[in-house]
Amino acid sequence: MPEARMNCLADLRGRQERARVAFYGPKVRLSVGVGTCGLANGAGDVLEALRDEVARRGLDFTVRATACVGLCEMEPLVDVLAPGLPRVFYHKVDPARARDLVAGLAKGLHHGDWALMRADQDKLLVDLPRSLTGSLNGLAAVPTFEEIPFYRHQMKVALRNCGFIDPLDVEEYLATGGYSALAKAMESMPPEQIIETIERSGLRGRGGGGFPTGKKWRACREAHGEPKYVLCNGDEGDPGAFMDRSIMEGNPHAVLEGMAIAAYAIGASYGYIYVRREYPLAVDHLRRAILQAEQAGLLGINILGRGFDFTVRISRGAGAFVCGESTALMASIEGQAGEPRAKHIHTSEKGVFGRPTTLNNVETWANVPVIINQGADWFAAIGTKASKGTKVFSVVGKARTTGLVEVPMGMTLREIVFDIAGGVAGGRQFKAVQTGGPSGGCLGEDQLDLPVDFDALTAAGSMMGSGGLIVMDDRTCMVEVARYFTNFLRRESCGKCTACREGVLRMYELLEKITAGQGTTADVDLLEEVSRYVADNSICGLGKSAPNPTLSTLKHFRGEYLAHVTEHRCPAGVCKALTKFTILTASCKACGKCSKACPTEAISGGAKKVPALIDQAKCVRCGSCREVCPFDAVGTE
Amino acid sequence: MSDHAPANRKVKTVIDGREIEVARDTWALDAAAKLKIRIPTLCHHAALTPYGACRLCVVEVTKGKSTWLTTACDLPIREGLSICTNSPAVLAARRMTLELLWAQAPASEEIQALAREMGIAKPRFAARGDGENRCILCGLCVRACEQLGAGGAIGFTRRGVERTVDSPFGGQATLCIGCGSCLAVCPTGHIRGIDRAGQRRMSTWHTEMEMAACESCGALFAPLRQLEHLRPRLAEHIPIVKVCPACRRAKAAKETTLPARPGAALIRNTRK
């Protein structure tokens, strides 16, 4: 039975309390992460099995669908909250285990032997830290989440509640203190004070630009023109980045609450959330969240009876990377082709529909309610001198543990890669880490002690970007990496300006030539010249940052480029035209794995104690033999 | 930031070391023109909104401690800007732009002439496509159609290096009125069109249309579609859409008679 619309702050407080009682009540609560990552790993079946088993046994358990808790690799994850017991997480659950789990819990017992971790005190809930634990009841051997390296160094602010609450039910958000910040802002903070709080917190744009959020809001508040707009950029287009998707799927109300607070402070009446169409689940969750918030009187007309109107609508992108750029995004919302324009006149002055506009990224919006609740000083105490708070990263590539992590600013890349993500997978050597998505830069081993800080990363030739973090091992060719990302950017350039359209094309052609073994030192010089030109002369951020992969690899791995053009050699053994695989007979144990893996039957021997031999005429240089060899007996020339 | 002065406020700026006062938000290109400083352009036309696509008009802008390159055509002049139109960085950028455009549109003599003027003998990049291209995607034609013509007859298609200007789906441009604005503004000779056998042919847009005859002399003078487009907009001037410009001039000359009152001044200036 849905509750009625709330018409005053007292209504909100009462409803939050009722939701809280229901949430932490006497019932056992099971939640399954059915975000995009969970679903891909079969979490849908697990959810069904849990529901079915609970019903079959006639148990009065709550079974909830939640979103991603960050440990995507361990999905499906089941999170159990039983009265008087710690919160316990189970990983890689299948339907059979799900049924066993319910059977155990029916008797009040946990399966301590396959639990992943426990939380005695709910530090994952930044809004309301609370003690959960009663007795450990046989769970002492299960590590706490602070003991799990992946979580030990993390601090959840933007990701709070993600993977904990049911994103499709506003009551769950209310149970964890949701919309308190909006209430606090409307009740006790004049708009000026809200902006001042955000300014003092030091919050900077999480979409990559790092522009001070409070300054943006102030300029928009002071700008002339009605109506004003508040926009949310959810067009996360970087391959391998999924921070914003996770928040939109897992905690959509946090974004709405952040936007409503800004709208109240700025004097805006309309909001748009621009989400890429490739995120159907995020679109669905946001849409339902908006509907529920409107029905509850938390969005729309006369919010909480305070005479403040703010309407939010969703605008879906059609798959263009460039639409993550603010001016292209606004053109797209207006129904025009998603192409950028010069930014000499600020968005805060003339944004969408030519009106004063504030545009922030999903993660930035998710931070806002916490800052209002906890205060500017609390937030400003986290992080470095000029980069405050936390930052979410999606750690992918050759990391041992991939997933979504949120760390305080100032943590070094080394700590993220080695302490949180467990270093490089497969025992390989670390080579480089790319921060900031396809237009970010690659940083080598000697740069790993750089802190996560907007300015430090930019100074090193990379950027914070939206938070993609790709770990690369010693079998990665940095020239090929530059070629790969430049190709992506070439295809995603909108083609409006000469610098980006023609320049990135020529960069790509030069990189193709070099990786094909036909490059010269003059080509490397020309590549550098064109790259600098593109960075300086493009209209928008896409073009300006497109040379980052090339320029940063030229800066930190120039030797590798020179090996390609002067010695005609690909040191990493990746570029096919420059690589010849051979069997190191001394190391070969004739296990036969390589000849089985070879797609062209180019490997003879390799069994019955006869070392393998590669027929170079048949070899297509795919590297499969090297991938599978357990003895490092496949070398490159 | 909080620069919300009335739009007619004057601001001072320095261009190539010379100070000038202009109305706030005057385009840098126009401010430079007032000082007779020539900045080369390709995608700019005084009758159309600035677009900033060709990047040829880059200048070096300094504000406070920061200096950067940006296009002059879409840079509004505000307080505290200092502009240099011919620094080594500016010239190097323009040369690279022309080199890239030459390779993109190898058949355009106009681009080659500009590039040679800048000291480029030959682009270092291979010619794109079949070497017959003249279009540099400056977008003047699209803007002219939108802002001067009927609008929407042509537009950009696809993106990135595959971007082209075309009629909808490469077929007949059904909204084209044959006004020829696109052809008139094209800086590289890419857009083709001709009047032949009673038809106006906009070959680049795969579009043909019938011409109208002058009611007076019978000469074919404008596409019927253009006249239909103009008719509702020029209700009180209907003759304009019926008679060719030459006949209109002749008729106007005939109708302009001397004042009825002999001896009255044709012009009058009463200033002392």
Side-chain angles (χ1 to χ4, degrees):
Chain A
M1 175 79 194
E3 291 211 34
R5 184 192 153 89
M6 295 180 280
N7 292 311
C8 61
L9 296 170
D11 283 356
L12 174 67
R13 301 223 164 90
R15 186 151 160 189
Q16 280 177 331
E17 194 44 45
R18 286 194 296 282
R20 197 152 24 223
V21 169
F23 194 102
Y24 289 101
K27 286 192 196 177
V28 171
R29 179 193 159 86
L30 295 152
S31 48
V32 190
V34 288
T36 298
C37 47
L39 287 174
N41 279 311
D45 297 339
V46 172
L47 180 65
E48 205 155 295
L50 286 174
R51 282 195 173 135
D52 183 58
E53 191 63 25
V54 166
R56 206 176 59 82
R57 290 172 180 268
L59 297 166
D60 190 17
F61 287 6
T62 308
V63 182
R64 287 286 192 166
T66 176
C68 172
V69 76
L71 206 51
C72 308
E73 218 177 87
M74 303 286 184
E75 302 272 10
L77 280 160
V78 177
D79 177 354
V80 183
L81 194 60
L85 286 172
R87 186 177 159 190
V88 181
F89 292 83
Y90 293 88
H91 63 300
K92 296 196 171 169
V93 180
D94 55 27
R97 279 202 164 179
R99 289 181 192 278
D100 279 359
L101 195 62
V102 175
L105 288 166
K107 295 179 220 144
L109 294 172
H110 267 292
H111 283 275
D113 45 340
W114 22 279
L116 171 70
M117 59 178 183
R118 63 171 212 261
D120 297 348
Q121 203 193 8
D122 216 330
K123 287 188 186 162
L124 297 176
L125 290 180
V126 109
D127 285 346
L128 291 167
R130 62 181 58 245
S131 180
L132 296 171
T133 186
S135 76
L136 280 177
N137 204 10
L139 289 166
V142 178
T144 64
F145 82 88
E146 291 102 326
E147 287 163 349
I148 301 271
F150 185 77
Y151 282 108
R152 190 189 305 151
H153 307 278
Q154 290 201 50
M155 178 171 186
K156 304 259 188 185
V157 178
L159 293 180
R160 67 189 184 286
N161 295 338
C162 277
F164 186 43
I165 62 169
D166 181 346
L168 296 182
D169 187 355
V170 67
E171 307 304 327
E172 297 246 312
Y173 185 63
L174 291 171
T176 57
Y179 289 103
S180 294
L182 177 63
K184 180 179 174 186
M186 290 200 294
E187 183 182 28
S188 62
M189 296 171 82
E192 184 58 33
Q193 193 193 335
I194 297 171
I195 293 178
E196 200 254 349
T197 302
I198 299 296
E199 277 175 336
R200 230 162 21 85
S201 74
L203 178 65
R204 293 172 68 174
R206 297 303 196 241
F211 193 83
T213 306
K215 201 173 164 185
K216 228 182 222 183
W217 292 17
R218 180 175 299 283
C220 190
R221 175 171 170 76
E222 287 170 359
H224 296 285
E226 293 288 331
K228 291 179 180 175
Y229 291 89
V230 167
L231 308 184
C232 171
N233 185 347
D235 193 55
E236 188 172 56
D238 296 0
F242 46 92
M243 300 75 55
D244 296 345
R245 171 170 62 71
S246 183
I247 294 173
M248 290 185 284
E249 284 178 4
N251 199 7
H253 286 285
V255 177
L256 297 177
E257 189 180 1
M259 290 174 75
I261 292 167
Y264 176 74
I266 290 162
S269 4
Y270 299 102
Y272 280 99
I273 304 177
Y274 191 85
V275 201
R276 56 199 310 236
R277 208 170 282 249
E278 296 91 324
Y279 282 176
L281 208 59
V283 172
D284 180 49
H285 287 197
L286 283 167
R287 186 169 283 157
R288 295 204 215 187
I290 291 171
L291 197 68
Q292 289 185 15
E294 279 176 354
Q295 284 167 351
L298 295 162
L299 277 184
I301 305 298
N302 196 14
I303 292 171
L304 289 173
R306 307 287 294 188
F308 162 55
D309 304 338
F310 179 55
T311 309
V312 179
R313 289 290 170 262
I314 293 171
S315 185
R316 288 185 300 165
F321 181 67
V322 72
C323 285
E325 196 277 340
S326 63
T327 56
L329 181 147
M330 291 188 291
S332 182
I333 288 178
E334 290 169 4
Q336 303 180 39
E339 281 169 17
R341 57 164 173 78
K343 281 208 242 182
H344 301 303
I345 294 174
H346 290 262
T347 299
S348 53
E349 205 179 306
K350 254 188 183 173
V352 73
F353 304 114
R355 298 279 180 259
T357 301
T358 291
L359 170 65
N360 283 122
N361 151 279
V362 170
E363 191 184 330
T364 314
W365 288 126
N367 271 295
V368 169
V370 188
I371 295 172
I372 297 298
N373 273 334
Q374 308 274 328
D377 296 332
W378 175 84
F379 192 80
I382 310 164
T384 63
K385 191 159 172 281
S387 299
K388 301 297 187 188
T390 57
K391 177 77 194 89
V392 184
F393 289 97
S394 51
V395 182
V396 295
K398 296 290 167 63
R400 185 170 297 164
T401 312
T402 56
L404 209 57
V405 306
E406 181 169 1
V407 297
M409 297 271 195
M411 181 175 277
T412 64
L413 292 172
R414 190 183 300 281
E415 286 172 281
I416 298 177
V417 174
F418 286 93
D419 297 344
I420 294 180
V424 180
R428 306 294 318 171
Q429 281 284 307
F430 171 87
K431 181 163 186 178
V433 58
Q434 190 193 34
T435 67
S439 30
C442 296
L443 303 170
E445 169 87 47
D446 55 336
Q447 304 282 316
L448 271 183
D449 291 312
L450 275 173
V452 168
D453 175 289
F454 287 104
D455 314 300
L457 288 175
T458 307
S462 185
M463 60 182 200
M464 182 83 87
S466 54
L469 211 146
I470 304 171
V471 178
M472 301 174 193
D473 68 11
D474 57 349
R475 283 180 178 167
T476 312
C477 168
M478 301 315 287
V479 187
E480 168 57 25
V481 165
R483 190 202 64 84
Y484 176 85
F485 285 115
T486 306
N487 188 31
F488 173 84
L489 294 160
R490 174 184 69 104
R491 297 163 64 112
E492 290 297 339
S493 164
C494 77
K496 176 173 174 177
C497 76
T498 308
C500 176
R501 181 190 64 237
E502 301 300 317
V504 176
L505 166 72
R506 300 307 177 175
M507 286 166 56
Y508 170 72
E509 286 175 355
L510 288 163
L511 286 162
E512 273 262 299
K513 199 174 162 191
I514 295 168
T515 50
Q518 289 151 11
T520 62
T521 47
D523 288 328
V524 177
D525 293 342
L526 182 58
L527 174 65
E528 196 160 14
E529 188 188 336
V530 181
S531 300
R532 292 197 194 288
Y533 162 82
V534 174
D536 288 344
N537 287 276
S538 297
I539 294 181
C540 79
L542 189 158
K544 284 181 200 297
S545 61
N548 279 344
T550 304
L551 286 172
S552 67
T553 47
L554 274 168
K555 184 174 172 186
H556 300 297
F557 301 92
R558 199 177 189 94
E560 215 165 317
Y561 279 85
L562 295 179
H564 282 72
V565 297
T566 56
E567 299 162 31
H568 296 282
R569 181 171 73 82
C570 174
V574 172
C575 297
K576 288 183 184 177
L578 298 173
T579 300
K580 193 172 143 192
F581 289 102
T582 49
I583 305 293
L584 309 172
T585 324
S587 313
C588 180
K589 302 264 192 291
C591 68
K593 281 194 174 161
C594 57
S595 53
K596 279 201 197 83
C598 180
T600 58
E601 296 178 355
I603 303 179
S604 54
K608 295 177 185 163
K609 294 186 183 168
V610 183
L613 186 71
I614 301 177
D615 179 351
Q616 297 299 336
K618 283 188 188 166
C619 175
V620 291
R621 287 139 180 83
C622 67
S624 299
C625 50
R626 189 173 66 161
E627 277 307 308
V628 298
C629 179
F631 311 107
D632 266 349
V634 180
T636 55
E637 279 175 17
Chain B
M1 287 262 34
S2 51
D3 195 4
H4 303 299
N8 56 5
R9 205 183 75 189
K10 296 272 184 187
V11 291
K12 278 187 186 144
T13 187
V14 177
I15 305 180
D16 291 347
R18 293 156 66 191
E19 200 179 86
I20 182 174
E21 199 179 53
V22 293
R24 184 175 181 270
D25 285 350
T26 299
W27 303 120
L29 194 64
D30 298 336
K34 285 189 182 171
L35 290 170
K36 303 256 184 309
I37 294 169
R38 181 187 166 249
I39 299 172
T41 60
L42 279 167
C43 72
H44 178 263
H45 192 286
L48 301 169
T49 51
Y51 192 54
C54 76
R55 313 314 280 174
L56 193 59
C57 69
V58 284
V59 290
E60 202 166 67
V61 180
T62 304
K63 186 179 184 185
K65 282 180 197 157
S66 40
T67 294
W68 69 98
L69 291 180
T70 192
T71 41
C73 66
D74 56 1
L75 171 69
I77 301 279
R78 296 219 167 161
E79 207 64 66
L81 295 185
S82 163
I83 295 167
C84 178
T85 71
N86 55 11
S87 71
V90 166
L91 298 180
R94 283 194 199 142
R95 270 197 292 272
M96 180 63 87
T97 298
L98 281 168
E99 215 178 324
L100 291 167
L101 291 176
W102 187 342
Q104 183 200 356
S108 168
E109 293 87 1
E110 291 86 347
I111 296 293
Q112 289 178 28
L114 259 174
R116 292 213 175 87
E117 203 181 301
M118 295 286 292
I120 299 160
K122 190 175 171 278
R124 286 171 285 178
F125 311 105
R128 277 233 256 143
D130 57 6
E132 295 302 314
N133 179 39
R134 281 189 173 85
C135 178
I136 55 162
L137 300 169
C138 70
L140 275 176
C141 51
V142 177
R143 276 175 289 152
C145 183
E146 207 63 53
Q147 297 167 27
L148 305 175
I154 52 169
F156 287 110
T157 68
R158 295 188 286 271
R159 70 175 179 225
V161 289
E162 291 178 0
R163 187 176 170 99
T164 55
V165 180
D166 210 342
S167 51
F169 308 104
Q172 282 255 349
T174 47
L175 296 178
C176 177
I177 55 168
C179 71
S181 304
C182 52
L183 188 147
V185 294
C186 178
T188 61
H190 167 69
I191 299 171
R192 298 289 153 129
I194 194 163
D195 294 340
R196 186 189 287 158
Q199 299 277 315
R200 172 156 292 181
R201 252 178 99 178
M202 299 301 298
S203 357
T204 314
W205 316 133
H206 330 287
T207 301
E208 261 184 52
M209 62 198 76
E210 209 174 315
M211 297 287 280
C214 171
E215 282 189 357
S216 178
C217 70
L220 302 174
F221 75 104
L224 271 173
R225 280 198 209 162
Q226 186 179 8
L227 300 181
E228 277 155 25
H229 173 77
L230 290 174
R231 194 163 288 129
R233 290 166 176 78
L234 295 169
E236 69 274 33
H237 305 290
I238 286 292
I240 291 184
V241 297
K242 292 183 173 167
V243 183
C244 76
C247 289
R248 270 202 322 268
R249 266 196 300 277
K251 188 162 174 269
K254 216 180 282 171
E255 284 170 1
T256 308
T257 50
L258 287 172
R261 217 154 28 90
L266 277 177
I267 54 166
R268 193 181 183 88
N269 186 344
T270 53
R271 272 183 302 177
K272 296 216 168 83

